[in-house]
Amino acid sequence: MLILGLETSCDETGVALYDMARGLLADALFSQVDIHVEYGGVVPELASRDHVRKVLPLLEQVLAEAGCTPQEIDGVAYTAGPGLVGALMVGATLARALAWGWGVPVLGVHHMEGHLLAPMLEDEHPQFPFVALLVSGGHTQLVRVDGIGQYRMLGESLDDAAGEAFDKAAKMLGLPYPGGPHIARMAQRGDPARFDFPRPMVNRPGLDFSFSGLKTYTLNTVAECRQASELTEQDRCDIARAFEDAVVATLVIKCRRALRQEALKTLVIAGGVSANLRLRSALERALDKEGARVFYPAAKYCTDNGAMIAYAGAQRLQAGQVDDEQTRVRPRWPMEELPPLDAAGAA
Ligand code: KG4
Ligand code: ZN
């Protein structure tokens, strides 16, 4: 069963072809980062317009790469939410038009389920049940996963998402959007002993997160350095390091707590922030001591991509799930509302 996946929820146009028997055949991505960089964040209208421009050429590219014709495609999956409504509508409209034209089923996929399942694209992938830490620009969530569509929220951010916190801290340091990779790069040259940033909410029980206090602390530290003199390159590196260390430590503590609470030994991390190398190695070290294991997607499938949507859509389409006439894109969409995979009868 060959499935086309379209991702257009934010500022990346992703198109991929996934085959249930042969795996991922092709995927293509266009990142709009250069379009939005001068505004310091994603401009929704510009994002939608650029998806319109890029999605068909990317489709042609993946068909050529995979050596497939449209007649071989058995279904179309697209990101139906959460995300920017105009951007989502580009993918949804094209997916429905293609599926109608080709006479195949179409299904709207949940963007965060796509992220959550992205580690399944790897040869060595996790087995259910596991705890997933979803850390992206819009979400920070700890989820118990018993199977596809069997999700129980264990904790989430009460304010900013981890990626959003990275982006805001980067802005304070004069770094471009999206800030996560820039902070990580600067932090490599930072002195970990110079500042000690607070680890938010780790002394409180529970699995929720809060990053707004850390954001304020970062802002105040920047201001203090500025008061002393100009903000030097070393100041920026040291602040980036202290910020990254605080976020990583907080995430690690909550992941260990979630695994212990659920009596599980498998953790999955996914979403843009899971590309962070310091987070990956800190989690590996911490879990190793407890005989637990962490799985994550390949670096290029951590941030938004079409492959994860094609994969998630293929699992659900194969189980018989399809859009009906009432299906709408959903800018907000709690993941717990998703039906379990076998709800529509396994294929
Ligand atoms: O999953 P994603 O591509 O898009 C959303 O669905 O939000 O995540 C983007 C987020 C941005 O906030 C970006 O700064 C962050 O992921 N990010 C990182 C790294 N790479 C991307 N944060 C920390 N370290 C990184 N290496
Ligand atoms: Zn995402």
Side-chain angles (χ1 to χ4, degrees):
M1 190 179 193
L2 180 63
I3 301 301
L4 170 70
L6 304 177
E7 157 62 37
T8 65
S9 68
C10 188
D11 59 346
E12 252 112 24
T13 318
V15 180
L17 283 167
Y18 182 85
D19 184 85
M20 288 298 268
R22 291 175 290 165
L24 188 65
L25 300 187
D27 84 295
L29 187 79
F30 181 83
S31 169
Q32 303 177 356
V33 162
D34 292 342
I35 296 172
H36 303 292
V37 74
E38 67 177 287
Y39 305 99
V42 179
V43 183
E45 182 58 25
L46 295 183
S48 318
R49 289 190 209 178
D50 202 63
H51 287 308
V52 172
R53 275 193 289 270
K54 297 296 173 359
V55 67
L56 281 174
L58 290 176
L59 171 59
E60 278 166 24
Q61 190 181 323
V62 293
L63 285 169
E65 251 174 55
C68 291
T69 60
Q71 287 74 36
E72 292 168 68
I73 292 173
D74 300 301
V76 183
Y78 64 94
T79 305
L84 303 170
V85 67
L88 291 168
M89 282 175 69
V90 176
T93 309
L94 179 67
R96 286 176 196 160
L98 290 172
W100 187 76
W102 295 338
V104 297
V106 62
L107 180 68
V109 169
H110 193 289
H111 181 80
M112 297 312 290
E113 177 171 78
H115 275 304
L116 191 152
L117 297 178
M120 297 298 188
L121 290 163
E122 301 306 302
D123 289 339
E124 227 189 307
H125 56 76
Q127 305 290 327
F128 301 117
F130 53 74
V131 169
L133 171 70
L134 302 176
V135 268
S136 70
H139 294 81
T140 301
Q141 297 175 327
L142 272 166
V143 189
R144 183 190 164 102
V145 181
D146 284 289
I148 295 178
Q150 292 173 259
Y151 307 131
R152 187 157 55 78
M153 203 58 68
L154 303 174
E156 58 191 322
S157 179
L158 304 176
D159 40 59
D160 290 353
E164 195 180 356
F166 266 99
D167 296 338
K168 289 179 178 168
K171 213 172 202 174
M172 294 172 202
L173 297 174
L175 297 167
Y177 177 87
H182 295 282
I183 294 253
R185 222 167 293 131
M186 286 214 107
Q188 282 173 4
R189 289 181 282 129
D191 173 5
R194 175 154 170 216
F195 300 111
D196 188 16
F197 279 28
R199 274 68 172 140
M201 289 182 76
V202 293
N203 296 323
R204 268 192 252 166
L207 294 168
D208 287 333
F209 304 87
S210 164
F211 292 105
S212 68
L214 185 58
K215 194 176 62 183
T216 311
Y217 198 91
T218 309
L219 191 64
N220 291 341
T221 309
V222 170
E224 278 164 27
C225 287
R226 278 225 173 89
Q227 244 170 15
S229 68
E230 262 310 291
L231 193 68
T232 65
E233 183 70 2
Q234 194 57 49
D235 289 339
R236 293 164 81 217
C237 292
D238 295 345
I239 293 170
R241 178 62 192 262
F243 174 84
E244 185 179 50
D245 281 350
V247 175
V248 167
T250 307
L251 294 175
V252 170
I253 289 167
K254 294 289 163 87
C255 286
R256 289 177 63 190
R257 199 179 282 176
L259 286 171
R260 242 176 281 141
Q261 177 188 303
E262 298 301 309
L264 292 175
K265 294 276 183 199
T266 309
L267 178 76
V268 161
I269 54 168
V273 183
S274 70
N276 187 281
L277 295 179
R278 212 179 292 278
L279 174 63
R280 288 179 176 208
S281 61
L283 277 172
E284 274 169 22
R285 256 180 286 128
L287 298 198
D288 208 35
K289 283 190 213 137
E290 305 187 6
R293 238 192 112 179
V294 56
F295 292 84
Y296 30 71
K300 66 172 177 170
Y301 302 131
C302 286
T303 45
D304 294 349
N305 64 84
M308 66 185 194
I309 301 304
Y311 177 86
Q315 309 306 312
R316 289 188 174 275
L317 282 160
Q318 169 148 299
Q321 295 181 17
V322 289
D323 276 2
D324 59 30
E325 276 157 28
Q326 309 306 315
T327 306
R328 300 278 181 273
V329 296
R330 295 190 58 179
R332 288 175 197 281
W333 188 4
M335 204 166 61
E336 285 162 298
E337 288 182 14
L338 288 171
L341 191 59
D342 59 1

